[in-house]
Amino acid sequence: MALFQKSRKAEEIGQADLPRHIGIIMDGNGRWAKKRGLPRTAGHAAGAETFRRVATYCKNIGVEYLTVYAFSTENWKRPPEEVAAIMGLLEKYLGEAIEKMERDGIRLKFFGDTSVLSDQLRGLIRETDGITAHLGKTFQANVCVNYGGRDEIVRAARAWAERVRAGEDEALTEDAFAALLDSSGIPDPELLIRPGGEKRLSNFLLWQSAYSELVFTDTLWPDFGEADIDAAIAEYRQRQRRFGGL
Ligand code: IPE
Ligand code: IPE
Ligand code: MG
């Protein structure tokens, strides 16, 4: 059934010029909740469900990588109750996802500085990493938690400095540096989508988005669905990508 679904969906959308890697800034959860007279945390819970649906859809249409922004290095500025609720949702989601990863053939990876997260969350992340390591080449979802593009670049620069200190004298090239980023080994996202109406990157994938096509939509993340992915891919396919050439 799953295989049949994948091929039918994949055929419908077409594989020509399909982005291999899509990045999404999952924004608008709070406003979605406010519009319904609900606490902001209800928006985050709805947003987690949306992630589940969108990831499954991306996998079914033949996208290879999906990178989502779940919690930024700046999001610690929010009230502690909201931060705790988001972390609680991540724990709940991960616990459930771990059980299903192998069955669904979904690799899960984390981007960001996870060293400051709770013991429980770090334990779950280690567990997912263990499963991911022995899963074959399948669809991969990268979840950005305590992630900032600047922080990622600084962590990579520190790792490079360590190498130099250790006496390794490899030349610093763009490729050598990129291999030290959280996204090491993963192609840059061809398409970056921001729902929620804001038109900025908010510190998401600063290095990797150098030539990404950007699509902004007013749809709030919990309302985002398959049709929005289809529309973003259609818009992406209209773009002429020149990479500085003619
Ligand atoms: C995105 O939704 C989720 C996180 C940043 C954790 P927001 O919580 O930013 O929702 P809005 O932008 O306030 O509506
Ligand atoms: C970006 O959304 C971060 C995530 C979606 C995790 P924000 O809501 O934090 O971004 P700003 O504050 O509008 O720039
Ligand atoms: Mg927001």
Side-chain angles (χ1 to χ4, degrees):
M1 182 64 190
L3 267 178
F4 170 71
Q5 263 183 5
K6 175 173 178 157
S7 55
R8 187 170 55 81
K9 287 268 189 200
E11 212 171 284
E12 245 171 53
I13 196 114
Q15 301 299 290
D17 298 329
L18 185 74
R20 289 183 68 193
H21 183 179
I22 297 179
I24 303 184
I25 299 173
M26 306 190 291
D27 196 24
N29 295 348
R31 280 163 284 163
W32 181 91
K34 195 173 174 207
K35 263 175 45 183
R36 283 164 178 73
L38 297 168
R40 291 178 56 85
T41 50
H44 296 312
E49 284 309 315
T50 302
F51 165 66
R52 219 192 285 272
R53 277 187 284 112
V54 167
T56 304
Y57 185 63
C58 285
K59 173 178 179 265
N60 288 342
I61 61 175
V63 171
E64 294 169 60
Y65 301 94
L66 173 70
T67 302
V68 293
Y69 207 6
F71 192 87
S72 74
T73 46
E74 288 74 37
N75 286 146
W76 297 105
K77 293 176 193 163
R78 297 186 179 202
E81 309 80 56
E82 180 168 341
V83 171
I86 294 170
M87 295 300 159
L89 277 166
L90 278 166
E91 284 168 14
K92 176 172 171 281
Y93 177 82
L94 265 187
E96 292 163 9
I98 285 171
E99 288 170 26
K100 297 180 194 145
M101 275 173 78
E102 272 175 287
R103 190 197 65 198
D104 297 346
I106 293 186
R107 296 167 68 125
L108 212 53
K109 208 178 136 53
F110 291 84
F111 287 6
D113 177 5
T114 53
S115 69
V116 298
L117 303 178
S118 71
D119 288 347
Q120 198 191 345
L121 210 41
R122 277 184 300 132
L124 287 164
I125 290 173
R126 259 197 307 278
E127 215 180 311
T128 30
D129 284 345
I131 300 171
T132 295
H134 78 256
L135 271 183
K137 175 90 188 70
T138 51
F139 172 76
Q140 179 168 320
N142 307 308
V143 182
C144 300
V145 182
N146 190 28
Y147 174 89
R150 289 182 173 183
D151 180 65
E152 181 189 31
I153 291 167
V154 168
R155 283 185 286 113
R158 280 197 203 113
W160 184 266
E162 269 315 310
R163 284 194 184 181
V164 173
R165 228 191 320 263
E168 293 176 34
D169 62 351
E170 192 193 342
L172 181 54
T173 61
E174 288 188 8
D175 285 346
F177 191 74
L180 295 171
L181 296 170
D182 296 335
S183 57
S184 173
I186 299 168
D188 289 339
E190 295 93 334
L191 170 61
L192 210 149
I193 308 169
R194 181 166 191 157
E198 311 294 357
K199 294 185 179 63
R200 55 178 171 257
L201 289 177
S202 303
N203 209 4
F204 187 50
L205 300 181
L206 296 184
W207 174 283
Q208 299 86 343
S209 66
Y211 270 102
S212 301
E213 295 299 330
L214 310 179
V215 171
F216 297 100
T217 148
D218 289 334
T219 308
L220 303 172
W221 175 245
D223 289 329
F224 199 88
E226 301 186 356
D228 299 282
I229 290 284
D230 290 351
I233 291 174
E235 187 169 339
Y236 165 79
R237 283 174 160 156
Q238 299 291 318
R239 304 275 177 90
Q240 205 195 356
R241 308 190 75 202
R242 284 187 292 275
F243 300 100
L246 298 178

mmCIF file with all atom_site columns, all heavy atoms in Angstrom, residues 28-46 220 222-223:
data_model
loop_
_atom_site.group_PDB
_atom_site.id
_atom_site.type_symbol
_atom_site.label_atom_id
_atom_site.label_alt_id
_atom_site.label_comp_id
_atom_site.label_asym_id
_atom_site.label_entity_id
_atom_site.label_seq_id
_atom_site.pdbx_PDB_ins_code
_atom_site.Cartn_x
_atom_site.Cartn_y
_atom_site.Cartn_z
_atom_site.occupancy
_atom_site.B_iso_or_equiv
_atom_site.pdbx_formal_charge
_atom_site.auth_seq_id
_atom_site.auth_comp_id
_atom_site.auth_asym_id
_atom_site.auth_atom_id
_atom_site.pdbx_PDB_model_num
ATOM 1   N N   . GLY A 1 28  ? 3.992   30.428 12.483 1.00 0.00 ? 28  GLY A N   1
ATOM 2   C CA  . GLY A 1 28  ? 2.587   30.833 12.523 1.00 0.00 ? 28  GLY A CA  1
ATOM 3   C C   . GLY A 1 28  ? 1.734   30.028 13.502 1.00 0.00 ? 28  GLY A C   1
ATOM 4   O O   . GLY A 1 28  ? 0.518   30.212 13.567 1.00 0.00 ? 28  GLY A O   1
ATOM 5   N N   . ASN A 1 29  ? 2.369   29.171 14.289 1.00 0.00 ? 29  ASN A N   1
ATOM 6   C CA  . ASN A 1 29  ? 1.618   28.354 15.251 1.00 0.00 ? 29  ASN A CA  1
ATOM 7   C C   . ASN A 1 29  ? 0.861   29.204 16.269 1.00 0.00 ? 29  ASN A C   1
ATOM 8   O O   . ASN A 1 29  ? -0.297  28.941 16.591 1.00 0.00 ? 29  ASN A O   1
ATOM 9   C CB  . ASN A 1 29  ? 2.568   27.444 16.039 1.00 0.00 ? 29  ASN A CB  1
ATOM 10  C CG  . ASN A 1 29  ? 3.245   26.408 15.171 1.00 0.00 ? 29  ASN A CG  1
ATOM 11  O OD1 . ASN A 1 29  ? 2.852   26.221 14.029 1.00 0.00 ? 29  ASN A OD1 1
ATOM 12  N ND2 . ASN A 1 29  ? 4.256   25.748 15.710 1.00 0.00 ? 29  ASN A ND2 1
ATOM 13  N N   . GLY A 1 30  ? 1.545   30.228 16.794 1.00 0.00 ? 30  GLY A N   1
ATOM 14  C CA  . GLY A 1 30  ? 0.945   31.072 17.837 1.00 0.00 ? 30  GLY A CA  1
ATOM 15  C C   . GLY A 1 30  ? -0.265  31.825 17.313 1.00 0.00 ? 30  GLY A C   1
ATOM 16  O O   . GLY A 1 30  ? -1.322  31.860 17.966 1.00 0.00 ? 30  GLY A O   1
ATOM 17  N N   . ARG A 1 31  ? -0.125  32.408 16.117 1.00 0.00 ? 31  ARG A N   1
ATOM 18  C CA  . ARG A 1 31  ? -1.240  33.174 15.547 1.00 0.00 ? 31  ARG A CA  1
ATOM 19  C C   . ARG A 1 31  ? -2.416  32.266 15.196 1.00 0.00 ? 31  ARG A C   1
ATOM 20  O O   . ARG A 1 31  ? -3.572  32.630 15.351 1.00 0.00 ? 31  ARG A O   1
ATOM 21  C CB  . ARG A 1 31  ? -0.762  33.954 14.306 1.00 0.00 ? 31  ARG A CB  1
ATOM 22  C CG  . ARG A 1 31  ? -0.013  35.237 14.680 1.00 0.00 ? 31  ARG A CG  1
ATOM 23  C CD  . ARG A 1 31  ? 0.782   35.765 13.535 1.00 0.00 ? 31  ARG A CD  1
ATOM 24  N NE  . ARG A 1 31  ? 1.994   34.970 13.337 1.00 0.00 ? 31  ARG A NE  1
ATOM 25  C CZ  . ARG A 1 31  ? 2.717   34.980 12.229 1.00 0.00 ? 31  ARG A CZ  1
ATOM 26  N NH1 . ARG A 1 31  ? 2.326   35.727 11.202 1.00 0.00 ? 31  ARG A NH1 1
ATOM 27  N NH2 . ARG A 1 31  ? 3.806   34.265 12.141 1.00 0.00 ? 31  ARG A NH2 1
ATOM 28  N N   . TRP A 1 32  ? -2.095  31.062 14.761 1.00 0.00 ? 32  TRP A N   1
ATOM 29  C CA  . TRP A 1 32  ? -3.149  30.082 14.448 1.00 0.00 ? 32  TRP A CA  1
ATOM 30  C C   . TRP A 1 32  ? -3.992  29.808 15.700 1.00 0.00 ? 32  TRP A C   1
ATOM 31  O O   . TRP A 1 32  ? -5.214  29.777 15.658 1.00 0.00 ? 32  TRP A O   1
ATOM 32  C CB  . TRP A 1 32  ? -2.492  28.793 13.942 1.00 0.00 ? 32  TRP A CB  1
ATOM 33  C CG  . TRP A 1 32  ? -3.428  27.694 13.566 1.00 0.00 ? 32  TRP A CG  1
ATOM 34  C CD1 . TRP A 1 32  ? -3.968  27.448 12.334 1.00 0.00 ? 32  TRP A CD1 1
ATOM 35  C CD2 . TRP A 1 32  ? -3.937  26.664 14.430 1.00 0.00 ? 32  TRP A CD2 1
ATOM 36  N NE1 . TRP A 1 32  ? -4.773  26.339 12.365 1.00 0.00 ? 32  TRP A NE1 1
ATOM 37  C CE2 . TRP A 1 32  ? -4.774  25.832 13.648 1.00 0.00 ? 32  TRP A CE2 1
ATOM 38  C CE3 . TRP A 1 32  ? -3.766  26.357 15.793 1.00 0.00 ? 32  TRP A CE3 1
ATOM 39  C CZ2 . TRP A 1 32  ? -5.435  24.717 14.176 1.00 0.00 ? 32  TRP A CZ2 1
ATOM 40  C CZ3 . TRP A 1 32  ? -4.435  25.258 16.311 1.00 0.00 ? 32  TRP A CZ3 1
ATOM 41  C CH2 . TRP A 1 32  ? -5.257  24.452 15.510 1.00 0.00 ? 32  TRP A CH2 1
ATOM 42  N N   . ALA A 1 33  ? -3.300  29.638 16.823 1.00 0.00 ? 33  ALA A N   1
ATOM 43  C CA  . ALA A 1 33  ? -3.992  29.351 18.084 1.00 0.00 ? 33  ALA A CA  1
ATOM 44  C C   . ALA A 1 33  ? -4.800  30.568 18.545 1.00 0.00 ? 33  ALA A C   1
ATOM 45  O O   . ALA A 1 33  ? -5.964  30.445 18.944 1.00 0.00 ? 33  ALA A O   1
ATOM 46  C CB  . ALA A 1 33  ? -2.982  28.947 19.145 1.00 0.00 ? 33  ALA A CB  1
ATOM 47  N N   . LYS A 1 34  ? -4.177  31.752 18.442 1.00 0.00 ? 34  LYS A N   1
ATOM 48  C CA  . LYS A 1 34  ? -4.835  32.982 18.901 1.00 0.00 ? 34  LYS A CA  1
ATOM 49  C C   . LYS A 1 34  ? -6.155  33.204 18.153 1.00 0.00 ? 34  LYS A C   1
ATOM 50  O O   . LYS A 1 34  ? -7.165  33.562 18.754 1.00 0.00 ? 34  LYS A O   1
ATOM 51  C CB  . LYS A 1 34  ? -3.881  34.163 18.690 1.00 0.00 ? 34  LYS A CB  1
ATOM 52  C CG  . LYS A 1 34  ? -4.308  35.400 19.444 1.00 0.00 ? 34  LYS A CG  1
ATOM 53  C CD  . LYS A 1 34  ? -3.308  36.526 19.382 1.00 0.00 ? 34  LYS A CD  1
ATOM 54  C CE  . LYS A 1 34  ? -3.924  37.748 20.047 1.00 0.00 ? 34  LYS A CE  1
ATOM 55  N NZ  . LYS A 1 34  ? -3.379  38.994 19.515 1.00 0.00 ? 34  LYS A NZ  1
ATOM 56  N N   . LYS A 1 35  ? -6.120  32.981 16.858 1.00 0.00 ? 35  LYS A N   1
ATOM 57  C CA  . LYS A 1 35  ? -7.329  33.147 16.029 1.00 0.00 ? 35  LYS A CA  1
ATOM 58  C C   . LYS A 1 35  ? -8.474  32.264 16.510 1.00 0.00 ? 35  LYS A C   1
ATOM 59  O O   . LYS A 1 35  ? -9.645  32.554 16.287 1.00 0.00 ? 35  LYS A O   1
ATOM 60  C CB  . LYS A 1 35  ? -7.007  32.756 14.576 1.00 0.00 ? 35  LYS A CB  1
ATOM 61  C CG  . LYS A 1 35  ? -6.674  33.937 13.710 1.00 0.00 ? 35  LYS A CG  1
ATOM 62  C CD  . LYS A 1 35  ? -6.230  33.582 12.301 1.00 0.00 ? 35  LYS A CD  1
ATOM 63  C CE  . LYS A 1 35  ? -7.031  32.542 11.546 1.00 0.00 ? 35  LYS A CE  1
ATOM 64  N NZ  . LYS A 1 35  ? -6.455  32.247 10.209 1.00 0.00 ? 35  LYS A NZ  1
ATOM 65  N N   . ARG A 1 36  ? -8.118  31.154 17.164 1.00 0.00 ? 36  ARG A N   1
ATOM 66  C CA  . ARG A 1 36  ? -9.128  30.215 17.637 1.00 0.00 ? 36  ARG A CA  1
ATOM 67  C C   . ARG A 1 36  ? -9.400  30.367 19.128 1.00 0.00 ? 36  ARG A C   1
ATOM 68  O O   . ARG A 1 36  ? -10.109 29.546 19.719 1.00 0.00 ? 36  ARG A O   1
ATOM 69  C CB  . ARG A 1 36  ? -8.652  28.782 17.374 1.00 0.00 ? 36  ARG A CB  1
ATOM 70  C CG  . ARG A 1 36  ? -8.805  28.421 15.948 1.00 0.00 ? 36  ARG A CG  1
ATOM 71  C CD  . ARG A 1 36  ? -8.008  27.179 15.586 1.00 0.00 ? 36  ARG A CD  1
ATOM 72  N NE  . ARG A 1 36  ? -8.231  26.852 14.192 1.00 0.00 ? 36  ARG A NE  1
ATOM 73  C CZ  . ARG A 1 36  ? -7.717  27.546 13.172 1.00 0.00 ? 36  ARG A CZ  1
ATOM 74  N NH1 . ARG A 1 36  ? -6.949  28.592 13.399 1.00 0.00 ? 36  ARG A NH1 1
ATOM 75  N NH2 . ARG A 1 36  ? -7.979  27.216 11.928 1.00 0.00 ? 36  ARG A NH2 1
ATOM 76  N N   . GLY A 1 37  ? -8.812  31.398 19.747 1.00 0.00 ? 37  GLY A N   1
ATOM 77  C CA  . GLY A 1 37  ? -9.000  31.607 21.178 1.00 0.00 ? 37  GLY A CA  1
ATOM 78  C C   . GLY A 1 37  ? -8.335  30.533 22.021 1.00 0.00 ? 37  GLY A C   1
ATOM 79  O O   . GLY A 1 37  ? -8.738  30.257 23.151 1.00 0.00 ? 37  GLY A O   1
ATOM 80  N N   . LEU A 1 38  ? -7.307  29.892 21.455 1.00 0.00 ? 38  LEU A N   1
ATOM 81  C CA  . LEU A 1 38  ? -6.601  28.811 22.171 1.00 0.00 ? 38  LEU A CA  1
ATOM 82  C C   . LEU A 1 38  ? -5.252  29.312 22.674 1.00 0.00 ? 38  LEU A C   1
ATOM 83  O O   . LEU A 1 38  ? -4.719  30.300 22.165 1.00 0.00 ? 38  LEU A O   1
ATOM 84  C CB  . LEU A 1 38  ? -6.368  27.632 21.215 1.00 0.00 ? 38  LEU A CB  1
ATOM 85  C CG  . LEU A 1 38  ? -7.608  26.932 20.647 1.00 0.00 ? 38  LEU A CG  1
ATOM 86  C CD1 . LEU A 1 38  ? -7.226  26.004 19.499 1.00 0.00 ? 38  LEU A CD1 1
ATOM 87  C CD2 . LEU A 1 38  ? -8.316  26.157 21.757 1.00 0.00 ? 38  LEU A CD2 1
ATOM 88  N N   . PRO A 1 39  ? -4.665  28.633 23.663 1.00 0.00 ? 39  PRO A N   1
ATOM 89  C CA  . PRO A 1 39  ? -3.315  29.009 24.096 1.00 0.00 ? 39  PRO A CA  1
ATOM 90  C C   . PRO A 1 39  ? -2.312  28.728 22.979 1.00 0.00 ? 39  PRO A C   1
ATOM 91  O O   . PRO A 1 39  ? -2.527  27.807 22.173 1.00 0.00 ? 39  PRO A O   1
ATOM 92  C CB  . PRO A 1 39  ? -3.052  28.099 25.297 1.00 0.00 ? 39  PRO A CB  1
ATOM 93  C CG  . PRO A 1 39  ? -4.017  26.968 25.166 1.00 0.00 ? 39  PRO A CG  1
ATOM 94  C CD  . PRO A 1 39  ? -5.200  27.496 24.416 1.00 0.00 ? 39  PRO A CD  1
ATOM 95  N N   . ARG A 1 40  ? -1.211  29.483 22.947 1.00 0.00 ? 40  ARG A N   1
ATOM 96  C CA  . ARG A 1 40  ? -0.205  29.318 21.894 1.00 0.00 ? 40  ARG A CA  1
ATOM 97  C C   . ARG A 1 40  ? 0.295   27.875 21.791 1.00 0.00 ? 40  ARG A C   1
ATOM 98  O O   . ARG A 1 40  ? 0.610   27.385 20.702 1.00 0.00 ? 40  ARG A O   1
ATOM 99  C CB  . ARG A 1 40  ? 0.988   30.246 22.156 1.00 0.00 ? 40  ARG A CB  1
ATOM 100 C CG  . ARG A 1 40  ? 0.681   31.733 21.987 1.00 0.00 ? 40  ARG A CG  1
ATOM 101 C CD  . ARG A 1 40  ? 1.915   32.576 22.317 1.00 0.00 ? 40  ARG A CD  1
ATOM 102 N NE  . ARG A 1 40  ? 3.064   32.181 21.511 1.00 0.00 ? 40  ARG A NE  1
ATOM 103 C CZ  . ARG A 1 40  ? 3.318   32.622 20.281 1.00 0.00 ? 40  ARG A CZ  1
ATOM 104 N NH1 . ARG A 1 40  ? 2.506   33.487 19.708 1.00 0.00 ? 40  ARG A NH1 1
ATOM 105 N NH2 . ARG A 1 40  ? 4.381   32.209 19.630 1.00 0.00 ? 40  ARG A NH2 1
ATOM 106 N N   . THR A 1 41  ? 0.350   27.218 22.951 1.00 0.00 ? 41  THR A N   1
ATOM 107 C CA  . THR A 1 41  ? 0.867   25.845 22.954 1.00 0.00 ? 41  THR A CA  1
ATOM 108 C C   . THR A 1 41  ? -0.018  24.910 22.113 1.00 0.00 ? 41  THR A C   1
ATOM 109 O O   . THR A 1 41  ? 0.479   23.940 21.535 1.00 0.00 ? 41  THR A O   1
ATOM 110 C CB  . THR A 1 41  ? 0.976   25.298 24.396 1.00 0.00 ? 41  THR A CB  1
ATOM 111 O OG1 . THR A 1 41  ? -0.261  25.537 25.048 1.00 0.00 ? 41  THR A OG1 1
ATOM 112 C CG2 . THR A 1 41  ? 2.093   25.991 25.142 1.00 0.00 ? 41  THR A CG2 1
ATOM 113 N N   . ALA A 1 42  ? -1.309  25.212 22.037 1.00 0.00 ? 42  ALA A N   1
ATOM 114 C CA  . ALA A 1 42  ? -2.199  24.397 21.190 1.00 0.00 ? 42  ALA A CA  1
ATOM 115 C C   . ALA A 1 42  ? -1.766  24.533 19.731 1.00 0.00 ? 42  ALA A C   1
ATOM 116 O O   . ALA A 1 42  ? -1.873  23.583 18.945 1.00 0.00 ? 42  ALA A O   1
ATOM 117 C CB  . ALA A 1 42  ? -3.648  24.832 21.368 1.00 0.00 ? 42  ALA A CB  1
ATOM 118 N N   . GLY A 1 43  ? -1.269  25.708 19.384 1.00 0.00 ? 43  GLY A N   1
ATOM 119 C CA  . GLY A 1 43  ? -0.759  25.916 18.022 1.00 0.00 ? 43  GLY A CA  1
ATOM 120 C C   . GLY A 1 43  ? 0.476   25.073 17.756 1.00 0.00 ? 43  GLY A C   1
ATOM 121 O O   . GLY A 1 43  ? 0.644   24.524 16.671 1.00 0.00 ? 43  GLY A O   1
ATOM 122 N N   . HIS A 1 44  ? 1.336   24.957 18.770 1.00 0.00 ? 44  HIS A N   1
ATOM 123 C CA  . HIS A 1 44  ? 2.548   24.148 18.590 1.00 0.00 ? 44  HIS A CA  1
ATOM 124 C C   . HIS A 1 44  ? 2.185   22.661 18.447 1.00 0.00 ? 44  HIS A C   1
ATOM 125 O O   . HIS A 1 44  ? 2.809   21.946 17.662 1.00 0.00 ? 44  HIS A O   1
ATOM 126 C CB  . HIS A 1 44  ? 3.512   24.347 19.758 1.00 0.00 ? 44  HIS A CB  1
ATOM 127 C CG  . HIS A 1 44  ? 4.022   25.752 19.861 1.00 0.00 ? 44  HIS A CG  1
ATOM 128 N ND1 . HIS A 1 44  ? 4.522   26.433 18.771 1.00 0.00 ? 44  HIS A ND1 1
ATOM 129 C CD2 . HIS A 1 44  ? 4.086   26.626 20.900 1.00 0.00 ? 44  HIS A CD2 1
ATOM 130 C CE1 . HIS A 1 44  ? 4.876   27.656 19.144 1.00 0.00 ? 44  HIS A CE1 1
ATOM 131 N NE2 . HIS A 1 44  ? 4.617   27.793 20.429 1.00 0.00 ? 44  HIS A NE2 1
ATOM 132 N N   . ALA A 1 45  ? 1.178   22.231 19.211 1.00 0.00 ? 45  ALA A N   1
ATOM 133 C CA  . ALA A 1 45  ? 0.743   20.824 19.103 1.00 0.00 ? 45  ALA A CA  1
ATOM 134 C C   . ALA A 1 45  ? 0.191   20.569 17.699 1.00 0.00 ? 45  ALA A C   1
ATOM 135 O O   . ALA A 1 45  ? 0.517   19.557 17.062 1.00 0.00 ? 45  ALA A O   1
ATOM 136 C CB  . ALA A 1 45  ? -0.305  20.515 20.167 1.00 0.00 ? 45  ALA A CB  1
ATOM 137 N N   . ALA A 1 46  ? -0.620  21.508 17.194 1.00 0.00 ? 46  ALA A N   1
ATOM 138 C CA  . ALA A 1 46  ? -1.167  21.360 15.836 1.00 0.00 ? 46  ALA A CA  1
ATOM 139 C C   . ALA A 1 46  ? -0.034  21.381 14.815 1.00 0.00 ? 46  ALA A C   1
ATOM 140 O O   . ALA A 1 46  ? -0.045  20.634 13.831 1.00 0.00 ? 46  ALA A O   1
ATOM 141 C CB  . ALA A 1 46  ? -2.185  22.468 15.566 1.00 0.00 ? 46  ALA A CB  1
ATOM 142 N N   . LEU A 1 220 ? -0.797  29.856 7.701  1.00 0.00 ? 220 LEU A N   1
ATOM 143 C CA  . LEU A 1 220 ? -0.149  29.601 8.986  1.00 0.00 ? 220 LEU A CA  1
ATOM 144 C C   . LEU A 1 220 ? 0.228   28.117 9.043  1.00 0.00 ? 220 LEU A C   1
ATOM 145 O O   . LEU A 1 220 ? -0.507  27.266 8.517  1.00 0.00 ? 220 LEU A O   1
ATOM 146 C CB  . LEU A 1 220 ? -1.092  29.973 10.141 1.00 0.00 ? 220 LEU A CB  1
ATOM 147 C CG  . LEU A 1 220 ? -1.572  31.441 10.110 1.00 0.00 ? 220 LEU A CG  1
ATOM 148 C CD1 . LEU A 1 220 ? -2.656  31.680 11.162 1.00 0.00 ? 220 LEU A CD1 1
ATOM 149 C CD2 . LEU A 1 220 ? -0.402  32.408 10.312 1.00 0.00 ? 220 LEU A CD2 1
ATOM 150 N N   . PRO A 1 222 ? 0.079   25.461 10.981 1.00 0.00 ? 222 PRO A N   1
ATOM 151 C CA  . PRO A 1 222 ? -0.853  24.361 11.260 1.00 0.00 ? 222 PRO A CA  1
ATOM 152 C C   . PRO A 1 222 ? -1.862  24.133 10.128 1.00 0.00 ? 222 PRO A C   1
ATOM 153 O O   . PRO A 1 222 ? -2.406  23.035 10.003 1.00 0.00 ? 222 PRO A O   1
ATOM 154 C CB  . PRO A 1 222 ? -1.558  24.794 12.554 1.00 0.00 ? 222 PRO A CB  1
ATOM 155 C CG  . PRO A 1 222 ? -0.570  25.704 13.205 1.00 0.00 ? 222 PRO A CG  1
ATOM 156 C CD  . PRO A 1 222 ? 0.063   26.468 12.065 1.00 0.00 ? 222 PRO A CD  1
ATOM 157 N N   . ASP A 1 223 ? -2.102  25.160 9.288  1.00 0.00 ? 223 ASP A N   1
ATOM 158 C CA  . ASP A 1 223 ? -3.037  25.001 8.168  1.00 0.00 ? 223 ASP A CA  1
ATOM 159 C C   . ASP A 1 223 ? -2.345  24.518 6.898  1.00 0.00 ? 223 ASP A C   1
ATOM 160 O O   . ASP A 1 223 ? -2.984  24.305 5.870  1.00 0.00 ? 223 ASP A O   1
ATOM 161 C CB  . ASP A 1 223 ? -3.713  26.356 7.842  1.00 0.00 ? 223 ASP A CB  1
ATOM 162 C CG  . ASP A 1 223 ? -4.698  26.788 8.918  1.00 0.00 ? 223 ASP A CG  1
ATOM 163 O OD1 . ASP A 1 223 ? -5.308  25.895 9.548  1.00 0.00 ? 223 ASP A OD1 1
ATOM 164 O OD2 . ASP A 1 223 ? -4.839  28.013 9.133  1.00 0.00 ? 223 ASP A OD2 1
#
